[in-house]
């Protein structure tokens, strides 16, 4: 039996591919990009995207195992558009959940603790401390906060400029006149 490596993305419309077709979401592009490499190692790579406009982080965390299942190797979390900017304030807009608390939940309801990949989270001290506690208990985590993401985005060619280098499909039309597609 071939082992399966599961990448699961959850999030708001940004994670779903905001502004693009579903097949152009970063989850779909990731699957197309790495499937062959995993197959060469004898592993099937499966990426599923459970993102969309209607989810908030809080809703998803409470129903995590019902929505994504219990066999997840990497859980990618991106609720930057729908969740609040201040997790310490329960009256903040949105019904968000601190990403580290999602990690706690994932570790309790899934068959094994998935690697937690947090996209576009705020780097506040409380979240950072909670993520360090998850790591101290054996959870793998990776974060790409707003500052790091902004810096990375500046490296992508602007598709509206007069001269545009040939870009691979995964980043083609990513930067359109300074507007970043999800």
């Amino acid at each position: 039996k071939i082992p399966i490596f599961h990448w699961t993305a959850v999030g708001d419309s940004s994670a779903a591919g905001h502004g693009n077709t579903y097949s152009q979401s970063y989850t779909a592009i990731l699957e197309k990009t790495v499937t062959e490499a995993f197959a060469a190692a004898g592993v099937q790579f499966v990426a599923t995207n459970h993102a969309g406009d209607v989810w908030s982080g809080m809703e998803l965390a409470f129903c995590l195992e019902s929505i994504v299942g219990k066999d997840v190797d990497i859980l990618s979390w991106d609720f930057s558009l729908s969740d609040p900017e201040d997790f310490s304030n329960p009256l903040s807009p949105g019904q968000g959940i601190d990403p580290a608390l999602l990690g706690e939940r994932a570790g309790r309801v899934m068959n094994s603790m998935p690697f937690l990949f947090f996209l576009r989270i705020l780097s506040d001290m409380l979240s950072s401390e909670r993520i360090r506690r998850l790591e101290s208990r054996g959870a793998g985590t990776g974060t790409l906060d707003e500052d790091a993401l902004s810096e990375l985005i500046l490296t992508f060619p602007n598709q509206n400029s007069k001269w545009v280098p040939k870009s691979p499909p995964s980043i083609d039309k990513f930067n359109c006149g300074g507007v970043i597609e999800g």
Side-chain angles (χ1 to χ4, degrees):
K1 185 176 175 183
I2 297 174
I4 299 173
F5 187 91
H6 293 271
W7 171 287
T8 300
V10 294
D12 54 30
S13 60
S14 178
H18 182 82
N20 293 308
T21 65
Y22 192 73
S23 65
Q24 293 171 322
S25 69
Y26 52 72
T27 302
I29 297 297
L30 174 70
E31 185 173 42
K32 289 175 198 166
T33 304
V34 303
T35 295
E36 190 176 320
F38 273 77
V43 176
Q44 180 183 357
F45 183 88
V46 175
T48 55
N49 192 339
H50 295 280
D53 271 346
V54 297
W55 296 120
S56 77
M58 186 70 76
E59 290 173 309
L60 191 87
F62 283 125
C63 302
L64 190 62
E65 67 274 23
S66 298
I67 295 169
V68 305
K70 292 188 171 207
D71 293 315
V72 175
D73 296 298
I74 295 182
L75 183 60
S76 171
W77 178 262
D78 180 359
F79 280 93
S80 58
L81 296 178
S82 66
D83 279 358
E85 295 183 6
D86 181 3
F87 293 110
S88 65
N89 178 1
L91 301 176
S92 210
Q95 297 176 352
I97 186 171
D98 186 306
L101 297 179
L102 170 87
E104 295 283 353
R105 177 103 173 109
R108 287 172 171 68
V109 300
M110 296 188 169
N111 291 335
S112 62
M113 178 57 139
F115 182 90
L116 303 165
F117 183 60
F118 303 119
L119 286 163
R120 302 178 194 182
I121 66 166
L122 295 171
S123 305
D124 66 33
M125 294 304 291
L126 186 57
S127 285
S128 297
E129 179 55 35
R130 287 180 179 151
I131 290 171
R132 278 193 290 284
R133 276 188 273 162
L134 281 173
E135 291 170 339
S136 73
R137 293 196 304 271
T141 66
T143 60
L144 186 58
D145 65 18
E146 285 294 337
D147 292 338
L149 185 61
S150 296
E151 190 174 312
L152 176 65
I153 286 170
L154 292 175
T155 67
F156 288 90
N158 182 346
Q159 295 299 319
N160 287 352
S161 65
K162 290 183 181 185
W163 181 83
V164 180
K166 177 114 174 92
S167 301
S170 57
I171 63 169
D172 188 38
K173 297 176 185 63
F174 183 76
N175 180 352
C176 298
V179 176
I180 304 306
E181 299 294 331

